[in-house]
Amino acid sequence: MAKTTGDLILRDRMQFDLTATTGDRTTLYGRFDLSQFTDPVSRMGLAIKEVYFQFRNPLGAELANTGGFQPVGATADSNLDTVTSCLKVYASSRAYENASEVGIASPDVLCVYERYSTAMPSFFNAGVLESNTSAVTENLWYGPRDLHPAGYTVVSDLLIGIATDNWRQEEGQTIELDVVLVAEPVKVTTERMNEILSQQQDL
């Protein structure tokens, strides 16, 4: 996983709750503590090269042996409506008020992961089943290699943001998010430090 002998592999585990009955999660942040490796005064920072996310549900009843996270956010409801769910997680050095504001062109965003799930109901015509219930899932991942090929340099803690819509399969449950960073300790240039300080003043 490490790119060079000087790279660090850092790990953290976070938790978030999904609202009962709807599976929604308004924007929530966890803080990845990097204070041991960063110091703005001495211009010591970390160039973050890779970010890895893993969702876990260790207390979930349906996948109790593995702690697996449901791949489909919701099933088609009794009204025969198609249901679309979305889960979004990202790493950033800036706290956005809502996850809906965050995209791959947003300032200070290292990576964005989105998981979409669309469930379609069965279709009957004159009592005859013409199509079974089906689901389509899509995973969109834009990592540091895509957005910041040389690594994204930070001199403070990193924020991990998360939000969900309609993730009903695990509504009312506490989900765990494992985060792994691959980062290289670097001496921050004066130009980059001025840029970081300017960004902080804008927050």
Side-chain angles (χ1 to χ4, degrees), residues 9-70:
I9 299 178
L10 309 174
R11 298 175 173 85
D12 201 354
R13 176 169 290 168
M14 304 173 184
Q15 292 183 330
F16 62 95
D17 296 328
L18 296 181
T19 304
T21 72
T22 64
D24 291 342
R25 167 71 265 170
T26 56
T27 304
L28 178 72
Y29 285 97
R31 185 175 295 274
F32 202 117
D33 184 7
L34 301 175
S35 59
Q36 182 181 350
F37 309 100
T38 60
D39 184 359
V41 176
S42 59
R43 298 197 306 169
M44 295 303 298
L46 283 177
I48 299 176
K49 300 178 177 181
E50 297 284 358
V51 181
Y52 297 92
F53 297 127
Q54 181 189 22
F55 293 94
R56 304 172 61 253
N57 188 0
L59 300 179
E62 291 191 33
L63 301 174
N65 292 332
T66 59
F69 188 75
Q70 293 282 355

Side-chain angles (χ1 to χ4, degrees), residues 17-153:
D17 296 328
L18 296 181
T19 304
T21 72
T22 64
D24 291 342
R25 167 71 265 170
T26 56
T27 304
L28 178 72
Y29 285 97
R31 185 175 295 274
F32 202 117
D33 184 7
L34 301 175
S35 59
Q36 182 181 350
F37 309 100
T38 60
D39 184 359
V41 176
S42 59
R43 298 197 306 169
M44 295 303 298
L46 283 177
I48 299 176
K49 300 178 177 181
E50 297 284 358
V51 181
Y52 297 92
F53 297 127
Q54 181 189 22
F55 293 94
R56 304 172 61 253
N57 188 0
L59 300 179
E62 291 191 33
L63 301 174
N65 292 332
T66 59
F69 188 75
Q70 293 282 355
V72 176
T75 57
D77 59 29
S78 58
N79 295 322
L80 300 181
D81 293 330
T82 297
V83 180
T84 298
S85 309
C86 182
L87 179 150
K88 185 174 190 176
V89 61
Y90 52 94
S92 173
S93 59
R94 177 191 300 248
Y96 288 85
E97 185 174 354
N98 294 304
S100 59
E101 302 170 11
V102 177
I104 60 175
S106 301
D108 309 318
V109 170
L110 283 74
C111 61
V112 180
Y113 169 73
E114 293 176 326
R115 178 183 292 186
Y116 290 93
S117 164
T118 299
M120 292 157 282
S122 300
F123 178 71
F124 291 85
N125 185 9
V128 178
L129 177 65
E130 293 195 355
S131 67
N132 287 312
T133 299
S134 60
V136 177
T137 59
E138 183 179 20
N139 294 280
L140 302 178
W141 168 246
Y142 307 97
R145 283 188 181 182
D146 303 305
L147 307 182
H148 306 280
Y152 183 92
T153 300

